[in-house]
Amino acid sequence: METLLCLAASLVFDRRKYGGSTSHLAGEPVPTLARLFKRPNGSIIAKMSNLDGSLAHGAKHEVHVAAQLLGSPAQLDASYRLILDSARMAGIGPDELPDFLGLEDDDELVLLGQEELLQSDLEVAVQAQVARWAEKFPDIAEPVTERLLTAAARVGQHRFARNVLQNNGHRCTFCGLGVRAGGLRAQRMLVASHIKPWRVSNSGERLDPRNGIAACPTHDVAFDTGLLTIDHDLRIHVRPEVQEAAEDDTAVRSSFGRPPLAQHLLLPQNAIPPGVRYLDWHYEHVYRRVGGARPPSFTPECPLVA
């Protein structure tokens, strides 16, 4: 149970942010799991490291468990629910073991942000790491390694999307659309994707919430294709031809008129704004590439990143 709960916790907790000297600072669900199993925080984090293969001398079977269950969210969902049901029958309530994946209300376990990950991009990224893993774990078969690395990338994308949605207040930052009802349909009303795409980002950029933005599907596609861009002052710019179309076409105006499109990015008061270098990347490689005029607040003091 400890192994499976630590694996489930990896969907919401990034253990790489905490080492031996900082494990006492780890957030939920680590402290709760540590109390439940009468272990220190560091032991729970070490178990999570075993599961993602970070410890060269970690238990081999745990890598197989992670590869199997992370590669099959439905199996992980079933295992997690079984543990929660058994805990409740044994008198272990939400205070001792909270439902940190939010599944007890019959929601389905869904990995967020997966629409951004093309299989071809995943394969390229995984193959670049397989050789290093073969040296580190020579007794683990390559197919298992590939499954675990693929699953790890998908879990990282899930945590990234989850953090971006939380940071952006679960609303489209372009128009303010937010649907707080439960269920899959509500989740699909918002997309949390990278400003600098996953396929061209390094490992740190792929997990950086400053490289993410939450948007409704319409404005997500518009941003990804260069119909919209954001300047250093977080002003939203629309390509001139789209602005002109919005003046004459009611349907276009319903998405790109002002309103509903905001003048500035809509962020909660304490939100972390998008990183300037990611906005520069988007302007240089997306907006300008399709012929967008240079927004005035992209200033020489903030040079573009090639």
Side-chain angles (χ1 to χ4, degrees), residues 39-265:
R39 295 178 179 272
N41 284 6
S43 176
I44 300 299
I45 294 173
K47 175 71 73 173
M48 296 173 76
S49 298
N50 283 344
L51 286 162
D52 68 16
S54 297
L55 297 183
H57 302 293
K60 176 182 175 182
H61 76 276
E62 292 182 347
V63 174
H64 286 265
V65 169
Q68 176 66 29
L69 293 183
L70 290 179
S72 176
Q75 283 187 293
L76 181 56
D77 182 311
S79 300
Y80 177 81
R81 289 176 189 272
L82 180 60
I83 290 174
L84 284 185
D85 290 344
S86 301
R88 303 299 183 248
M89 292 175 64
I92 300 174
D95 290 340
E96 294 178 272
L97 177 58
D99 174 21
F100 52 82
L101 294 187
L103 300 183
E104 281 192 302
D105 293 332
D106 291 328
D107 284 345
E108 182 181 349
L109 176 60
V110 175
L111 296 185
L112 301 174
Q114 302 305 301
E115 63 280 347
E116 189 180 5
L117 301 184
L118 298 179
Q119 186 61 34
S120 58
D121 294 335
L122 273 174
E123 290 173 356
V124 170
V126 165
Q127 287 304 315
Q129 302 177 62
V130 165
R132 293 195 298 270
W133 268 66
E135 295 178 1
K136 188 177 179 181
F137 302 103
D139 56 342
I140 295 180
E142 185 172 309
V144 176
T145 298
E146 291 177 349
R147 287 204 307 273
L148 181 60
L149 290 172
T150 299
R154 292 194 177 281
V155 169
Q157 175 70 0
H158 169 79
R159 285 200 304 264
F160 165 83
R162 183 174 178 271
N163 291 338
V164 169
L165 289 174
Q166 289 179 341
N167 182 58
N168 290 179
H170 295 273
R171 289 187 176 275
C172 174
T173 52
F174 292 99
C175 69
L177 176 68
V179 181
R180 300 304 299 269
L184 293 180
R185 291 185 179 181
Q187 291 185 38
R188 291 171 181 167
M189 293 299 292
L190 287 179
V191 179
S193 58
H194 289 82
I195 299 169
K196 179 180 179 182
W198 188 92
R199 66 182 180 278
V200 294
S201 294
N202 61 38
S203 57
E205 292 170 338
R206 288 170 179 170
L207 300 176
D208 186 355
R210 294 170 300 176
N211 186 22
I213 196 165
C216 64
T218 296
H219 292 133
D220 176 66
V221 172
F223 184 74
D224 282 350
T225 56
L227 300 184
L228 302 174
T229 196
I230 305 162
D231 68 22
H232 296 166
D233 295 326
L234 303 186
R235 282 196 293 264
I236 299 169
H237 295 265
V238 186
R239 287 185 63 182
E241 57 268 39
V242 178
Q243 284 184 301
E244 294 173 3
E247 295 175 2
D248 301 324
D249 189 315
T250 303
V252 177
R253 185 162 59 251
S254 68
S255 293
F256 297 99
R258 297 188 191 264
L261 199 63
Q263 296 290 343
H264 288 78
L265 212 62

